[in-house]
Amino acid sequence: MKDLKKTYHIKNCEIKALSGINLEVEDKSFVTVVGRSGSGKTTLLRVLCGLEEKSGGEISFIEGNSSKAGTKISMVFQEPRLMHWLTVGENMAFSLRKEDPDIIKHKVDRHLDLLGLKQFKDAFPRQISGGMAQRVALGRTLCYDPEVILMDEPLSALDAFTRQVLQKEIVKLFINQQKTVIFVTHDVDEAVLLGQKAVILEDGIIKKQIPIELPYPRDQAQDKFFKYRQEILKTIMGD
Amino acid sequence: MTVVIQRNCRRRIKIHKTLKGLIVPFAILIIWYMLSAAGLLNNYIIPPPVEILETALALLKKGTLSKHVMASLYRVFVGFSAAFVLAFPTAVLVGMASALEDYVNPLLEFIRHIPPIACIPMLILWLGIGEAPKIAVIILAAFFPIFLNTLNGVVGCDEKLLEVGQIFQFTAKEKFLKIILPSAMPSVIVGMRLGLGYSWRALIGAELIAASAGIGYMIMDAEQLSRPDIIIVGIIIIGVLGYLIDYLFFSLTGKMSGVKERI
């Protein structure tokens, strides 16, 4: 991302949501974006996946030394956004519309198994818990098999226990599937727990980038974990 | 096991509900019967229930009742189908191309407030006294509930679900078929149910004015022959048929679209 900008025009007011983001995300890396509400985290993801038009700057995907077109990007939203008229299995297959039915079935079954949703394959979204629904949303994205996964506070609406379980699952999936992940959160612990690099956003610009050099799975009781956490907090609070 | 228990429980609740719904009609019947037997009702104006039953059976035996019922059902079927064929695509078109709404809304609002019955004289002048004006009245009656509810369903599709389609690179056609249409289905079905009810009502009105067959005609004819028993049979048949059609329609569409529980 080079000098990425996004400005909203509301009535006669100009609101700069992103004021020049310069960020390099390495292939198959896990980046967490953390910041206060209104710092531009969600806008950044929405611009990256094309849900919002950028007002300026450049987004490029580079493979080797040349830029690569048609990179498959997907997003997991804050809410599961499942199709309520489809079953869990059908929701997982939602993005797979041009593939052979046998391949679709195989992909869905594999991801249902991976996310522990096999027995809920025929359940409707209203019949499963919030945590499970978010897992289905994650499964839907994984079935799509994107190169880049954007996650917009996908665990923020869940209870602490479910969130912990899903955090572990996301780490496991990242290690096994080797995707590029950009994960937005306002939870500093989550940012340290998941990311290989924490990007701190404030008022639409990057305030600091902190590489987190801790092996997975991470232990929140570790001294190093605490130090990273403090560093991010200090940056956000401006101390 | 739990599913079976839940299903049995649901069935029992349904039976209880049906039985509760039968109490008031039965009470009315008994009171009606007792008042007639006590001579408190003028049998010429309100014949006793037994006489109504006998008349209904006699009309059934002669084939008169089935002839009129079939004529009315045929008109409802044709008129309602035509209304759906016209209203559904129009609503989808207007809903998808929001710019169109400004052009067609005033005209549609104007027509919506005209009762279909008020158009019968004009329709007879234009279309003659055959089946066409009656079917046209049904189309007018059923068009707006189907149109407005479908439009609401299409326009009200959750923007967040559409974003999911956008993320997965859906084309406009895919977005419509896989997101907008299924999410609008409950509204479409509500519109169809209302349209069916309205078309049934409008049909009877049309048959009362200009027809040579149909339940409305049977009632009108009975009035001229001073046969209140046939009039009451006609009224009861209208209610029962309306109820049955609605029930059948709801069961069928509910099974097809899985929206029964959500309406």
Side-chain angles (χ1 to χ4, degrees):
Chain A
M1 287 161 244
K2 222 179 196 178
D3 199 26
L4 190 62
K5 285 176 185 156
K6 175 69 193 173
T7 308
Y8 291 104
H9 298 276
I10 300 168
K11 288 188 181 169
N12 291 328
C13 200
E14 198 177 73
I15 297 163
K16 284 184 179 173
L18 300 176
S19 327
I21 298 281
N22 291 296
L23 178 67
E24 240 177 65
V25 177
E26 266 182 52
D27 191 25
K28 296 182 176 98
S29 69
F30 201 124
V31 173
T32 48
V33 180
V34 64
R36 293 170 193 257
S37 294
S39 57
K41 306 186 295 285
T42 298
T43 307
L44 176 66
L45 292 198
R46 290 179 67 85
V47 170
L48 282 178
C49 67
L51 286 179
E52 305 269 357
E53 287 272 332
K54 61 181 193 294
S55 310
E58 216 180 285
I59 303 167
S60 46
F61 298 90
I62 296 164
E63 196 172 40
N65 289 325
S66 56
S67 73
K68 186 188 165 198
T71 303
K72 234 173 148 183
I73 303 175
S74 186
M75 183 151 160
V76 181
F77 297 92
Q78 202 167 350
E79 337 74 56
R81 300 195 186 187
L82 301 180
M83 307 298 143
H84 52 80
W85 56 91
L86 299 179
T87 61
V88 164
E90 289 164 344
N91 263 294
M92 298 267 269
F94 191 66
S95 63
L96 311 169
R97 59 224 195 265
K98 283 171 189 159
E99 290 182 47
D100 183 74
D102 286 338
I103 295 174
I104 293 177
K105 192 184 172 305
H106 176 255
K107 265 191 186 176
V108 169
D109 285 346
R110 191 162 60 89
H111 286 102
L112 280 169
D113 213 12
L114 197 71
L115 292 159
L117 290 164
K118 214 171 181 180
Q119 53 180 329
F120 299 100
K121 186 181 179 181
D122 297 318
F124 283 93
R126 63 177 181 277
Q127 295 169 319
I128 57 175
S129 67
M132 274 183 206
Q134 202 53 281
R135 259 189 248 179
V136 178
L138 185 60
R140 178 176 63 186
T141 295
L142 292 175
C143 281
Y144 183 58
D145 197 21
E147 288 148 88
V148 181
I149 301 179
L150 310 175
M151 293 186 166
D152 185 13
E153 300 187 36
L155 313 180
S156 64
L158 305 176
D159 62 273
F161 179 72
T162 314
R163 196 186 310 163
Q164 261 185 20
V165 173
L166 279 182
Q167 280 166 346
K168 280 178 191 160
E169 278 181 23
I170 287 171
V171 168
K172 229 188 276 174
L173 283 170
F174 169 69
I175 295 166
N176 293 334
Q177 304 232 344
Q178 289 292 297
K179 305 269 183 202
T180 307
V181 180
I182 303 179
F183 189 106
V184 157
T185 180
H186 59 253
D187 181 341
V188 176
D189 282 351
E190 195 167 71
V192 181
L193 197 70
L194 302 175
Q196 293 168 321
K197 175 159 80 176
V199 174
I200 296 131
L201 269 191
E202 192 178 274
D203 297 331
I205 52 162
I206 294 176
K207 202 171 180 191
K208 197 172 183 181
Q209 296 186 40
I210 304 169
I212 299 166
E213 283 150 1
L214 288 174
Y216 291 118
R218 291 170 182 170
D219 180 6
Q220 280 173 274
Q222 252 183 328
D223 270 356
K224 273 190 177 174
F225 189 100
F226 185 74
K227 275 178 194 161
Y228 281 122
R229 186 180 177 275
Q230 287 306 102
E231 191 180 348
I232 293 172
L233 267 175
K234 268 184 192 169
T235 313
I236 293 172
M237 305 303 278
D239 295 343
Chain B
M1 186 72 174
T2 323
V3 175
V4 175
I5 292 168
Q6 273 180 347
R7 208 175 295 155
N8 285 340
C9 197
R10 232 180 285 152
R11 198 175 298 157
R12 221 174 299 147
I13 290 169
K14 208 177 168 187
I15 293 168
H16 267 263
K17 221 176 158 184
T18 313
L19 286 176
K20 274 185 198 167
L22 287 173
I23 292 172
V24 176
F26 266 107
I28 292 171
L29 261 181
I30 289 165
I31 293 166
W32 182 5
Y33 177 80
M34 281 164 60
L35 290 175
S36 294
L40 292 169
L41 292 177
N42 182 345
N43 283 2
Y44 177 70
I45 298 168
I46 307 175
V50 180
E51 199 184 315
I52 305 290
L53 187 69
E54 282 168 0
T55 306
L57 290 173
L59 287 171
L60 256 179
K61 232 182 232 175
K62 263 200 284 178
T64 319
L65 196 58
S66 52
K67 185 188 97 181
H68 291 306
V69 166
M70 289 314 284
S72 293
L73 283 177
Y74 167 78
R75 287 169 191 147
V76 168
F77 178 74
V78 174
F80 176 75
S81 305
F84 180 76
V85 167
L86 288 170
F88 180 76
T90 315
V92 169
L93 196 72
V94 174
M96 300 291 282
S98 49
L100 264 179
E101 214 174 334
D102 296 339
Y103 290 98
V104 294
N105 243 1
L107 178 68
L108 290 173
E109 275 299 304
F110 169 74
I111 303 172
R112 189 167 77 92
H113 287 98
I114 302 170
I117 304 274
C119 302
I120 291 176
M122 204 62 194
L123 290 170
I124 291 173
L125 279 178
W126 286 347
L127 305 167
I129 52 162
E131 288 299 298
K134 289 160 207 96
I135 288 168
V137 166
I138 296 173
I139 294 173
L140 283 173
F143 181 88
F144 287 99
I146 300 173
F147 174 82
L148 291 172
N149 280 282
T150 305
L151 184 64
N152 272 346
V154 171
V155 173
C157 179
D158 190 349
E159 203 56 45
K160 289 179 174 177
L161 297 185
L162 290 172
E163 281 186 355
V164 174
Q166 205 175 326
I167 288 287
F168 294 133
Q169 310 282 317
F170 278 17
T171 59
K173 187 182 158 193
E174 282 171 328
K175 268 192 202 170
F176 174 71
L177 291 175
K178 294 189 83 172
I179 303 173
I180 298 170
L181 190 59
S183 84
M185 239 12 222
S187 291
V188 176
I189 286 170
V190 168
M192 287 172 82
R193 269 183 93 185
L194 287 173
L196 204 52
Y198 285 12
S199 56
W200 193 241
R201 281 186 228 173
L203 166 86
I204 302 298
E207 284 179 349
L208 284 171
I209 295 165
S212 56
I215 304 169
Y217 166 76
M218 188 182 88
I219 292 172
M220 210 56 200
D221 196 41
E223 187 248 320
Q224 279 161 9
L225 295 170
S226 299
R227 290 285 306 271
D229 52 336
I230 298 180
I231 297 176
I232 294 174
V233 169
I235 292 169
I236 292 171
I237 290 293
I238 291 168
V240 169
L241 276 180
Y243 187 89
L244 277 178
I245 289 172
D246 189 64
Y247 179 79
L248 284 175
F249 178 79
F250 195 39
S251 306
L252 197 71
T253 49
K255 263 180 201 155
M256 278 183 343
S257 61
V259 296
K260 200 172 173 179
E261 287 168 54
R262 280 184 271 126
I263 293 178

